[in-house]
Amino acid sequence: MRNASILSPSCEHEKALRRFVVGNILEKIDDNQPLKFFSELRPLTVVFVKLQFYESIKMPGLCRSIQEATVHISGTIESLRGKILKISTFGKCCTFLCVFGLPGDKRMDESTRVLDTAMRISDFFSENHMKLELVSIGITSGQVFCGVVGHPSRHDYTVVGSKVQMAARMLVLYPGLIACDEVTYSKSGLPSRFFKKLPDKEMNDAVTSEVMYEYLGRKKNP
């Protein structure tokens, strides 16, 4: 057992740790709701953003770039009440798991706005030279389990499900693109000329039954 797991209650520690908990969950904690009520199946939009930096970038520069990227992505999705749930780094790659539609954050035009937000994020990194080799974004919509997972002494609030896995897999199958699933494409209500159908590829050892699309954006297709 880690020492941090058996520390006595401390207002100072709690105040510091609250900054790392999603606001939606803090409200439930402050209302003294049992953890079992935190978990549910709900329709969400899942967005993975993968930044591939050049191998030549040094560690101090990489850390500064990831911090800048985090601030920009967080600020960009905030207007849609989107949240960054997880940031993962591996070598010179950094991946952000963002979700839209958590309790209290659902919006009717979510799919449309998420696609436009993804384009703004992609354009920002393309226009600002941050020693990035590639920017890949995967977007899916559908029923997702969101709730508390892990050991009772060390758990986390996250999202799990086939739609989450599909969004993550898109980063590998369609690198350098803004890719979305058929549900997001349909719910957006945008004209088909804003999209390009992507070739079928194997996903989890099988060809997915869904059609995948590349979002080209509004400006590129007036």
Side-chain angles (χ1 to χ4, degrees):
M1 182 73 72
R2 296 186 178 215
N3 292 334
S5 301
I6 55 177
L7 288 174
S8 301
S10 167
C11 292
E12 183 179 352
H13 290 160
E14 181 178 341
K15 185 178 180 180
L17 290 172
R18 285 174 68 90
R19 295 178 296 171
F20 299 95
V21 182
V22 178
N24 312 61
I25 305 309
L26 280 178
E27 293 178 2
K28 295 177 180 289
I29 294 175
D30 292 339
D31 289 341
N32 294 318
Q33 294 187 25
L35 286 181
K36 63 181 180 180
F37 293 156
F38 286 29
S39 301
E40 60 179 331
L41 282 172
R42 62 181 294 113
L44 296 178
T45 302
V46 180
V47 179
F48 272 94
V49 180
K50 180 181 179 181
L51 306 179
Q52 174 69 57
F53 293 89
Y54 286 110
E55 288 295 328
S56 59
I57 189 172
K58 303 299 182 182
M59 186 56 65
L62 178 63
C63 292
R64 285 194 300 269
S65 295
I66 291 176
Q67 170 65 11
E68 183 180 345
T70 303
V71 172
H72 175 75
I73 293 174
S74 178
T76 303
I77 68 177
E78 186 176 359
S79 61
L80 272 179
R81 299 184 67 84
K83 303 291 191 301
I84 298 177
L85 282 193
K86 187 177 296 183
I87 303 174
S88 306
T89 58
F90 180 79
K92 298 301 173 68
C93 289
C94 183
T95 303
F96 298 82
L97 167 57
C98 310
V99 294
F100 298 80
L102 288 176
D105 291 341
K106 198 67 180 174
R107 300 188 59 163
M108 293 296 293
D109 54 353
E110 186 174 275
S111 296
T112 310
R113 291 178 175 269
V114 167
L115 287 168
D116 289 337
T117 299
M119 180 59 69
R120 290 202 302 272
I121 291 173
S122 178
D123 288 344
F124 172 82
F125 291 121
S126 298
E127 296 166 1
N128 293 266
H129 304 289
M130 297 173 58
K131 296 188 177 180
L132 276 171
E133 183 177 357
L134 211 58
V135 179
S136 308
I137 301 178
I139 307 170
T140 57
S141 303
Q143 287 285 107
V144 175
F145 169 84
C146 50
V148 178
V149 298
H151 191 275
S153 298
R154 188 176 174 81
H155 43 242
D156 191 16
Y157 183 86
T158 189
V159 291
V160 180
S162 60
K163 287 293 183 176
V164 181
Q165 295 175 340
M166 184 183 295
R169 190 75 174 129
M170 285 178 177
L171 303 178
V172 178
L173 297 179
Y174 308 108
L177 305 178
I178 300 176
C180 70
D181 64 348
E182 194 168 11
V183 178
T184 305
Y185 164 78
S186 300
K187 285 189 173 183
S188 72
L190 294 171
S192 58
R193 66 179 181 273
F194 293 165
F195 299 86
K196 177 183 176 182
K197 184 179 177 181
L198 292 169
D200 293 334
K201 294 190 178 182
E202 291 187 359
M203 186 174 292
N204 294 334
D205 299 325
V207 177
T208 174
S209 59
E210 286 196 42
V211 179
M212 300 298 176
Y213 295 88
E214 177 188 0
Y215 181 57
L216 303 173
R218 301 170 187 252
K219 293 181 180 179
K220 297 179 181 179
N221 292 269

